[in-house]
Amino acid sequence: MTKCFFACLVLTLFLLPCPSHSQSLVEDLGIEVKGVSREFSFTNKETAFYYGETNADNRSGWQGFNVFGHEFLDDYEIWVDEKKLDRKSARSVVYPDYLKRIYANGVVEEFRMADSLSIFSITVSSPESVHVDIIPYFSDGSTSDQFEMKLSPEGALIARKNHLSKTEKENYPVWLAVSGEGFLPQLKDRKQKTQFSPLMMVGRKAPAHTIVFCVGETQEATKANAENYLLHKGEYHRARRTRMETLLRETFVQTDNQRFDKALAWAKLSLDALTMNQVTKGIFAGLPWFNNYWGRDTFISLPGATLVQGRFTEAKHILKSFTAYQQTDSTSTDYGRIPNIVTTTEKAYNTADGTPRFVMMAKEYVERSGDTTFVSEMYPTIRRSIEGTLRYHCDSLGFLTHGDAETWMDAVGPDGPWSARGNRANDIQALWAQQLEAGVWFALRLGDVKSNRSWSQQLETLKKNFTRHFIRNGRVVDHLNKDGSADKQLRPNQIFTSSLLDEGTRASVLRSVVNDLTYHYGVASLSQNDDNFHPYHQHDRYYPKDAAYHNGTVWTWVQGAVISELCNAGTQELAAQVTENSVHQILDRGAVGTQSELIDAIARPGEREPRLSGTFSQAWNLGEFIRNFYDDYLGIRVDLLHHHLVLRPSLPRSFGNVKATINLNGRSLPIEIERTERTTTVQINGANLRKGGTAEVILPLPKGDRSSTSFRLPAQSVARLSMRNTSSTLLIDGISENTLTTQYFKNSRPKGGFMRLAEPKLRGQLQSMQGPAYPLLSHRTIKSTSTSGRIICDELDPANDDKGTGAFTYPLNALLKNGSLDLLGFKVFADKQNAYFNLKFRALSNPGWHPEYGFQLTYIAIAVDEDGIKNSGKRLVGQNANFLLTEEYAYEKLLLVGGGVRLEDKNGNILAAYIPTEADVANPLGDADAGTISFAIPLSYLGVPSKSWRFTVLVGAQDDHGGAGIGEFRSVKKEAGEWHGGGKKSADDPNVYDVLLVKGK
């Protein structure tokens, strides 16, 4: 077995001196925020994160302290000498490891987290002794009896009572300790907006105060962890900073572009913060709501997070974590698939691209790390992945077949996928080809001749048919439909197919994607010239978010592949324009030091820049930003399997000279590139190498030509290659070396035509901007009230009958409160203008994601039988209710209540709808504290009610598919999961928990 190129290096942090810098690389990364507020976030690299505002109170239901997928604290207030510290007036500085707020009165607040502990602390210091009180706020609750509290002189232990009802499957910590030296808990209820506090921590007068918030599984452990942190907080802070300093020093980069260098360092640390150990090792896809592991996202993020940074041990652990979740049941159609998502309670295999990307990353890991033992270790998983695809997901043309929502464009609504790409998408075929290539590579190394031959033949068939069926007029069609017809919508997915294209088509595809889809701030998911283009991700009262998700919205991660292709084509200056906007976002916009998931395709009227959207920190965006620097701009690839190094820089002018320490699992290899007008000098410092290898340096020449110089790099040597025009010299340890081989290549790239970034333009008459085709009810109308109406019905419903067909259980996520699906009362009354509906529940949930709704996760269908004639209306209630009414209750009108209200006739035609907006938060549709939902419907749409009207009220859990809006009934299955109920005995049973029948009089 061969040894690695750089094996046996001295294991010390500073093998070679780094370029000059200040004492602390982390301290140099401070970003100041003043006047306005920006989001910030820290994680403990295990299961916890805090998400907040630098210069404002937390204003989103997603903000606060989250541990193991559950929110334990919404926010906190600090009172100094009986005056609340106003964050708006503070000067905030965010560092990668802590937040500092400096107030005008000289008070300084420091917010910190600790690695591995589910803890955050607040330290308040002042030039003089001050009295400090801390008020913790929770996102739900209105009275103290909703909390279990244990008070003592050492602090408070708090648990939400609904958290205490956790199950064995949904196992998470439940206790929150709040303690600090000199602080005493004092019971005192406070409520502001949707936040509630049952107590205050009262401190003594002193110049410095530290209070800790700690989450744990038991009272004893939680209290002990809080006390231990308070005793050793300095050690925890130093250890956290040392970890970050080590990462930055091992991967130190210095260019002449200081803003880029700072953004790159932040990106590394922000992506490292998403590399967690929740149940197992993995990368959170994005915060705040993707605080779990997604296969697709992980494998796209993996090169930037680990491989290009030389963090091979971490990469191996992550790959092995997913291996354990592969579907091994050969009778399942998911056989061989790596899961798309792994949460704390379940896993799902609903993607076609996660598995190919896993296999590709397994191969890339072996090549980069030289870990040959991984080949045999992974081969059963890889063979199973290919066998499963061939058995269940492959057609006669060799294409990988898949569902409409099984690509990365996977948004689904009540009516199905918003961007259907079944059943053969172009990027899926390219990934399948690379999966087969990797499989052949593994089989060859392990002597599996049969698989090698079979998969090679399959690959050739796939390549031949891809050219025949996907390439049309120099473009690659987005996907083939089931009937074989080609979908010709202009989407960026064709940029991922370069490995299957000839050079001419590859150039044409790049030109198309750049000119038509790539703005200077990212790549649009659909051409702005398409009739289905949505310029804004979120546009209340026009369409739900998911309608725009992959139909125009800009996805920053896709620019990674575009930048790679631009650098390969020698057009790195164009690529640098897109990269510069990522630098701008990391340093100046959104959450400090990271990148959001999405950007609006077009800036809104009167706004200078398109709005950021989606998650505030997205792993694959950060991963691609980092990978682009190493793989494309610096152009370095160290192949430890073959003891070979390739350096092919495509550096933009703004980068100037570059120094980069290449990390190899804690071992350093410094690289320097110096450029003048006529000379390029490359230095590879291998002074600590005990074993040599080969190197190839590819440098650009005028007019697109290039030179390729290959040479032997001896152990413990420094190589310095200089090229002036077409003349090259090589020095090894200062001595001229004549054994180099230099070849010159004329520019043979096809002329791809003129390329320039797309100019965003908002076309008139876009269907997405016309609004719904049905009337929209105003907030004023929907929340109308009356004191003179006549009662149509006023019915009570028994408590605790929310069992569906008899044994239904709620989804496991604790955000759905017990009682939220249990109707207690239903009242309808009317006047001359409106009918007024009032519904009372045992409880309602309000996780705060959409405060303008006033509640969430409950879904109601109200079927109205207006004529009283048996079987004259419709009996089957849709929206995934799967509920068949009796003949006596067949309906003419149907009211749906979820993220708004919608009125339909018996044919499904929408007669009117109310779509909440952010301004409606002052008087929302529901009141979670009171457990009520109330609204009015104009009689001009509903009809004039009579006492003979009959109602059927169906209650279930709401599923808006993450895209907001009305949604539909959430499915119930045999076994409950995080977001689906359990207890269903037959698949045909309704997905309804509570039913109330109201007879006419």
Side-chain angles (χ1 to χ4, degrees):
M1 184 179 294
T2 57
K3 293 184 179 179
C4 295
F5 178 19
F6 298 124
C8 304
L9 294 184
V10 178
L11 298 179
T12 179
L13 184 60
F14 304 116
L15 292 177
L16 293 168
C18 285
S20 60
H21 46 73
S22 71
Q23 184 65 29
S24 170
L25 295 176
V26 173
E27 198 74 18
D28 288 345
L29 297 181
I31 294 177
E32 183 174 326
V33 184
K34 187 177 180 181
V36 297
S37 184
R38 292 182 67 182
E39 298 157 297
F40 74 93
S41 181
F42 301 112
T43 79
N44 73 342
K45 288 190 59 62
E46 292 283 338
T47 65
F49 71 89
Y50 188 95
Y51 167 37
E53 296 284 336
T54 60
N55 292 57
D57 294 336
N58 290 349
R59 47 197 175 194
S60 162
W62 294 100
Q63 291 179 319
F65 191 38
N66 188 293
V67 182
F68 217 70
H70 295 78
E71 185 175 285
F72 286 85
L73 191 73
D74 195 61
D75 203 351
Y76 61 88
E77 285 181 354
I78 302 175
W79 290 69
V80 175
D81 291 338
E82 299 184 348
K83 292 183 180 179
K84 178 185 172 182
L85 289 182
D86 183 8
R87 293 173 186 166
K88 293 180 182 178
S89 65
R91 179 174 66 88
S92 300
V93 184
V94 184
Y95 301 93
D97 56 340
Y98 78 106
L99 163 70
K100 178 186 287 187
R101 294 186 178 109
I102 302 101
Y103 296 90
N105 59 2
V107 172
V108 175
E109 171 197 355
E110 291 187 359
F111 178 102
R112 295 181 181 270
M113 289 186 70
D115 287 353
S116 303
L117 296 178
S118 297
I119 274 177
F120 75 88
S121 67
I122 304 159
T123 298
V124 179
S125 56
S126 175
E128 299 178 355
S129 290
V130 292
H131 182 86
V132 173
D133 299 328
I134 307 288
I135 303 173
Y137 279 103
F138 300 87
S139 60
D140 61 356
S142 55
T143 59
S144 298
D145 60 10
Q146 296 176 12
F147 297 84
E148 185 81 22
M149 290 186 287
K150 309 289 185 181
L151 307 183
S152 71
E154 290 77 34
L157 282 161
I158 309 168
R160 290 189 177 123
K161 289 184 177 179
N162 64 315
H163 276 184
L164 292 170
S165 62
K166 67 176 182 174
T167 65
E168 182 178 350
K169 186 174 182 180
E170 175 71 344
N171 187 24
Y172 52 89
V174 295
W175 289 99
L176 173 69
V178 186
S179 62
E181 185 179 354
F183 283 95
L184 290 174
Q186 182 184 95
L187 290 177
K188 187 172 184 179
D189 287 5
R190 289 174 180 257
K191 186 171 177 59
Q192 57 174 17
K193 297 181 181 178
T194 61
Q195 298 173 334
F196 173 78
S197 178
L199 81 165
M200 173 192 290
M201 299 298 293
V202 179
R204 64 189 180 188
K205 198 164 187 176
H209 310 72
T210 296
I211 194 165
V212 63
F213 296 80
C214 176
V215 170
E217 295 187 12
T218 66
Q219 298 179 46
E220 295 76 14
T222 309
K223 181 180 177 182
N225 284 339
E227 291 173 350
N228 176 66
Y229 173 84
L230 286 168
L231 286 172
H232 305 285
K233 60 181 184 292
E235 297 171 32
Y236 281 110
H237 300 167
R238 286 189 293 273
R240 185 171 172 87
R241 172 157 288 197
T242 297
R243 172 180 59 77
M244 295 181 181
E245 292 279 353
T246 299
L247 187 154
L248 293 180
R249 291 183 187 277
E250 288 180 343
T251 64
F252 186 82
V253 170
Q254 184 180 58
T255 73
D256 290 346
N257 186 330
Q258 294 182 2
R259 277 180 57 84
F260 173 82
D261 295 349
K262 187 173 183 177
L264 182 63
W266 261 108
K268 290 174 182 177
L269 293 176
S270 293
L271 183 51
D272 181 63
L274 295 176
T275 305
M276 304 289 277
N277 195 28
Q278 184 168 269
V279 181
T280 186
K281 195 74 172 179
I283 302 172
F284 278 1
L287 293 178
W289 45 79
F290 296 141
N291 54 331
N292 38 46
Y293 306 146
W294 290 64
R296 173 196 302 124
D297 298 59
T298 295
F299 308 133
I300 291 171
S301 307
L302 197 70
T306 61
L307 297 180
V308 301
Q309 296 190 62
R311 303 171 71 182
F312 301 135
T313 300
E314 199 152 53
K316 182 176 184 177
H317 287 166
I318 293 170
L319 289 169
K320 289 184 69 174
S321 293
F322 274 90
T323 302
Y325 295 113
Q326 185 181 37
Q327 177 57 266
T328 58
D329 179 1
S330 61
T331 65
S332 169
T333 56
D334 292 327
Y335 176 57
R337 279 189 169 184
I338 301 295
N340 180 38
I341 183 171
V342 178
T343 73
T344 57
T345 59
E346 59 187 348
K347 52 188 179 292
Y349 298 92
N350 57 332
T351 183
D353 53 354
T355 303
R357 289 188 182 277
F358 168 85
V359 176
M360 292 159 54
M361 287 301 102
K363 174 177 178 285
E364 187 168 333
Y365 163 75
V366 174
E367 289 179 324
R368 288 186 187 258
S369 69
D371 183 0
T372 55
T373 62
F374 201 66
V375 176
S376 57
E377 190 176 353
M378 281 294 103
Y379 191 55
T381 301
I382 290 166
R383 183 171 55 201
R384 197 179 295 121
S385 77
I386 296 175
E387 288 173 349
T389 301
L390 292 173
R391 182 181 302 182
Y392 294 110
H393 304 285
C394 203
D395 67 9
S396 60
L397 298 174
F399 295 142
L400 193 161
T401 60
H402 54 83
D404 279 332
E406 288 191 339
T407 76
W408 73 274
M409 293 186 167
D410 57 0
V412 175
D415 298 322
W418 290 106
S419 310
R421 299 185 67 225
N423 68 344
R424 287 155 293 178
N426 56 17
D427 54 324
I428 299 300
Q429 308 318 311
L431 292 170
W432 171 225
Q434 292 175 81
Q435 181 182 0
L436 286 168
E437 287 177 346
V440 169
W441 185 89
F442 275 91
L444 179 64
R445 275 148 186 79
L446 292 174
D448 186 351
V449 177
K450 181 179 178 182
S451 296
N452 181 292
R453 184 182 300 114
S454 172
W455 298 343
S456 296
Q457 292 172 351
Q458 186 74 28
L459 179 60
E460 288 307 309
T461 300
L462 170 62
K463 288 180 175 179
K464 178 181 66 177
N465 285 323
F466 187 89
T467 300
R468 180 182 302 169
H469 293 277
F470 275 87
I471 298 177
R472 310 282 176 90
N473 301 319
R475 271 181 48 190
V476 178
V477 299
D478 185 71
H479 64 271
L480 301 181
N481 297 307
K482 287 184 179 180
D483 62 4
S485 61
D487 182 278
K488 299 179 181 178
Q489 282 189 300
L490 182 54
R491 296 184 179 276
N493 302 299
Q494 57 186 313
I495 200 69
F496 301 114
T497 67
S498 60
S499 62
L500 295 176
L501 308 178
D502 59 57
E503 287 300 317
T505 305
R506 186 174 179 178
S508 178
V509 164
L510 177 60
R511 182 176 70 251
S512 173
V513 171
V514 170
N515 290 357
D516 297 321
L517 292 164
T518 306
Y519 309 123
H520 73 274
Y521 42 84
V523 182
S525 48
L526 182 67
S527 168
Q528 62 188 7
N529 297 315
D530 194 290
D531 290 340
N532 194 37
F533 177 74
H534 291 61
Y536 315 128
H537 178 220
Q538 185 169 348
H539 201 37
D540 292 338
R541 298 178 67 82
Y542 283 84
Y543 47 79
K545 289 190 296 184
D546 274 4
Y549 205 40
H550 301 106
N551 290 315
T553 303
V554 164
W555 289 75
T556 309
W557 81 271
V558 181
Q559 75 187 38
V562 175
I563 288 170
S564 294
E565 287 295 288
L566 286 170
C567 288
N568 181 68
T571 49
Q572 61 267 26
E573 297 301 333
L574 195 59
Q577 295 181 40
V578 184
T579 295
E580 179 54 37
N581 193 266
S582 292
V583 171
H584 169 50
Q585 184 183 153
I586 291 170
L587 299 184
D588 309 321
R589 299 192 70 195
V592 176
T594 189
Q595 288 184 285
S596 67
E597 178 187 13
L598 309 167
I599 306 177
D600 279 357
I602 293 176
R604 302 181 192 225
E607 297 184 12
R608 187 171 57 89
E609 295 182 286
R611 293 182 186 177
L612 306 180
S613 190
T615 63
F616 69 82
S617 183
Q618 188 77 1
W620 58 14
N621 292 0
L622 296 165
E624 285 293 86
F625 179 76
I626 297 165
R627 184 192 64 79
N628 280 146
F629 171 74
Y630 286 97
D631 278 359
D632 304 309
Y633 290 132
L634 186 60
I636 189 166
R637 178 69 174 260
V638 179
D639 183 344
L640 296 182
L641 184 64
H642 301 100
H643 326 307
H644 187 59
L645 179 152
V646 175
L647 186 64
R648 185 183 178 179
S650 296
L651 297 169
R653 286 188 295 270
S654 63
F655 282 18
N657 298 321
V658 176
K659 298 178 180 179
T661 299
I662 307 305
N663 176 48
L664 301 168
N665 234 19
R667 300 164 293 172
S668 60
L669 178 71
I671 303 287
E672 294 186 24
I673 301 175
E674 299 176 0
R675 297 183 293 174
T676 64
E677 185 176 348
R678 296 184 179 181
T679 304
T680 299
T681 301
V682 174
Q683 179 169 290
I684 305 171
N685 192 332
N688 293 296
L689 303 182
R690 293 186 177 181
K691 190 174 181 65
T694 57
E696 180 183 10
V697 179
I698 303 169
L699 296 175
L701 295 171
K703 299 180 181 180
D705 300 339
R706 67 185 190 277
S707 70
S708 175
T709 303
S710 300
F711 54 92
R712 181 75 184 171
L713 183 62
Q716 299 178 328
S717 65
V718 177
R720 187 175 180 86
L721 175 70
S722 296
M723 173 160 287
R724 182 181 177 88
N725 297 325
T726 58
S727 175
S728 59
T729 59
L730 175 65
L731 300 178
I732 302 292
D733 291 335
I735 301 174
S736 178
E737 176 60 57
N738 298 319
T739 60
L740 74 165
T741 301
T742 301
Q743 294 178 288
Y744 300 97
F745 299 92
K746 285 287 186 181
N747 182 8
S748 60
R749 299 189 188 98
K751 293 184 178 180
F754 177 72
M755 281 195 296
R756 47 85 183 114
L757 298 176
E759 287 291 334
K761 295 179 181 178
L762 183 61
R763 289 194 301 121
Q765 304 305 312
L766 277 173
Q767 181 59 44
S768 64
M769 299 300 291
Q770 304 307 308
Y774 45 82
L776 289 177
L777 302 178
S778 69
H779 177 260
R780 181 177 181 180
T781 296
I782 205 77
K783 295 301 291 184
S784 296
T785 58
S786 175
T787 57
S788 60
R790 55 190 174 89
I791 295 177
I792 308 302
C793 68
D794 190 358
E795 298 286 333
L796 299 179
D797 189 60
N800 301 305
D801 63 342
D802 46 343
K803 308 296 183 186
T805 54
F808 280 15
T809 59
Y810 281 26
L812 299 178
N813 195 292
L815 291 173
L816 181 55
K817 285 184 179 180
N818 185 32
S820 296
L821 312 182
D822 191 7
L823 182 69
L824 298 182
F826 176 71
K827 181 179 180 180
V828 181
F829 62 101
D831 57 19
K832 294 181 179 180
Q833 285 79 37
N834 301 308
Y836 302 90
F837 292 79
N838 291 301
L839 296 94
K840 173 69 176 177
F841 293 84
R842 183 156 53 91
L844 279 177
S845 305
N846 187 17
W849 306 329
H850 287 279
E852 69 273 20
Y853 298 174
F855 77 103
Q856 273 191 272
L857 303 176
T858 300
Y859 194 77
I860 306 108
I862 305 171
V864 185
D865 176 14
E866 296 179 332
D867 59 15
I869 302 174
K870 183 185 292 187
N871 208 26
S872 66
K874 186 176 180 180
R875 295 178 58 196
L876 182 65
V877 179
Q879 301 300 309
N880 201 37
N882 196 30
F883 192 94
L884 186 65
L885 304 177
T886 63
E887 294 179 354
E888 289 80 7
Y889 285 84
Y891 70 87
E892 282 72 43
K893 300 281 175 57
L894 183 70
L895 276 163
L896 300 170
V897 184
V901 180
R902 190 162 76 206
L903 175 65
E904 298 180 353
D905 65 17
K906 63 182 179 181
N907 298 316
N909 299 311
I910 301 176
L911 304 178
Y914 160 64
I915 302 175
T917 67
E918 292 181 2
D920 300 345
V921 68
N923 185 18
L925 182 64
D927 183 341
D929 290 340
T932 58
I933 299 172
S934 59
F935 57 91
I937 300 292
L939 303 185
S940 56
Y941 299 115
L942 181 65
V944 179
S946 71
K947 291 188 176 181
S948 64
W949 277 20
R950 289 181 286 211
F951 300 90
T952 304
V953 185
L954 308 178
V955 180
Q958 186 216 29
D959 187 359
D960 66 4
H961 300 277
I966 291 288
E968 62 182 355
F969 285 95
R970 192 174 290 276
S971 294
V972 180
K973 300 180 181 179
K974 184 177 180 180
E975 298 290 336
E978 184 175 8
W979 286 114
H980 65 263
K984 182 178 279 193
K985 298 175 182 177
S986 169
D988 296 330
D989 288 342
N991 295 307
V992 175
Y993 282 75
D994 201 357
V995 180
L996 173 64
L997 301 178
V998 181
K999 295 180 180 180
K1001 298 178 181 179

